[in-house]
Amino acid sequence: MKLDAPVPGGPCWVELGTSDLAAAQRFYTELFGWRCETDPRQEAGGYTVAHLRDAAVAALSPLYQEAQPVAWNVSFAVSDADVSARLVDEAGGKVLVGPMDVFDMGRFVVALDPGGAAFQLWQARTFPGAGLFNTPGSLGWVELMSREPERAEAFYTTVFGWTVSTSEHYTQWGVGGADFGGMITMDDKFPPEVPPHWLPYFAVADVDATAATAGQAGGTALMEPTTVPDGPRIAVLRDPQGAMFGVYRAGDER
């Protein structure tokens, strides 16, 4: 990721909705060295922020709705959540939650793109988002899995004004040309029951060692460590509760 801080239109935060908060904390602490702090306020509902040193890097929370899947969720920074929510609707997406205030921290929206991939909007007030990117244990890339790539490109460029860099095999998203993520077309290799989704990638010092640690801690490798031609060394993993995420070797940014 060529971004090293939250900027309008770029990814600013990731949070895990999980069926077992305590188990998820143990797993990711072992994997990434996170220090987790749960908000003690009852109205926070167990929301837990993960830190590396003094920087907030991600969050973990219980499932707040019966139909909510166990999954990592990506938030994109916006200057006005209400305006961006209207753009989502006008561009063919659907707003599921919000816009709503989160204490004095910011304003929040949960939405679906036209293909059904969930994402979030975050209008910062006292909390801007992650304090670290691209360093081991922090977010470094986000990837959209879509069955309708042309429709997805039209939607996200309309809502966020992203720049698009397309090669034969891969589409990359950027803010002002600073790439932060990409898109993969879901073809026949993806089972039909797998929905379109955003996949966060976390930087690690050693992809192979991280995948091995994940397996020892009860996780699963969905894609074993591999080196992308002219790209980074990566793996795609699933935690013990079923949430998918990727890892890549720090310093191998696209």
Side-chain angles (χ1 to χ4, degrees):
M1 185 189 297
K2 295 178 181 177
L3 303 176
D4 57 8
V7 300
C12 63
W13 191 238
V14 284
E15 55 189 33
L16 171 68
T18 182
S19 56
D20 190 331
L21 182 59
Q25 288 186 57
R26 290 192 297 269
F27 177 81
Y28 289 101
T29 295
E30 183 171 354
L31 206 62
F32 297 138
W34 288 347
R35 172 178 56 83
C36 295
E37 295 182 358
T38 300
D39 192 320
R41 292 172 290 189
Q42 183 176 359
E43 57 267 40
Y47 196 82
T48 299
V49 175
H51 298 78
L52 284 173
R53 301 182 295 278
D54 294 329
V57 292
L60 305 88
S61 73
L63 301 177
Y64 295 129
Q65 299 179 8
E66 187 174 340
Q68 183 182 350
V70 173
W72 278 100
N73 301 291
V74 179
S75 294
F76 297 97
V78 295
S79 56
D80 189 317
D82 296 76
V83 170
S84 294
R86 287 196 294 272
L87 283 174
V88 166
D89 283 330
E90 292 168 1
K94 181 179 181 181
V95 172
L96 299 180
V97 177
M100 60 180 287
D101 291 330
V102 181
F103 302 115
D104 63 345
M105 300 170 69
R107 197 155 170 78
F108 175 70
V109 174
V110 180
L112 297 177
D113 71 16
F119 65 99
Q120 300 176 168
L121 308 175
W122 180 251
Q123 177 188 340
R125 289 174 179 158
T126 63
F127 181 72
L132 282 176
F133 292 91
N134 307 316
T135 60
S138 68
L139 183 68
W141 193 252
V142 295
E143 197 166 69
L144 174 65
M145 307 294 178
S146 176
R147 290 189 170 87
E148 301 178 85
E150 294 85 3
R151 196 176 181 195
E153 181 176 327
F155 173 80
Y156 286 105
T157 54
T158 297
V159 172
F160 295 115
W162 290 346
T163 53
V164 179
S165 175
T166 303
S167 66
E168 182 180 356
H169 302 293
Y170 198 65
T171 296
Q172 294 192 178
W173 309 113
V175 174
D179 291 343
F180 61 78
M183 177 170 59
I184 288 179
T185 300
M186 300 176 74
D187 55 20
D188 293 341
K189 295 191 294 291
F190 291 82
E193 65 270 17
V194 176
H197 60 278
W198 279 94
L199 184 73
Y201 277 80
F202 297 95
V204 296
D206 188 319
V207 169
D208 298 73
T210 300
T213 298
Q216 294 161 6
T220 307
L222 300 177
M223 184 179 74
E224 296 288 349
T226 185
T227 300
V228 177
D230 299 319
R233 188 156 181 79
I234 65 174
V236 178
L237 309 174
R238 183 167 54 202
D239 72 21
Q241 286 69 53
M244 296 180 292
F245 62 100
V247 294
Y248 75 97
R249 185 169 56 199
D252 283 356
E253 288 82 4
R254 295 178 184 270

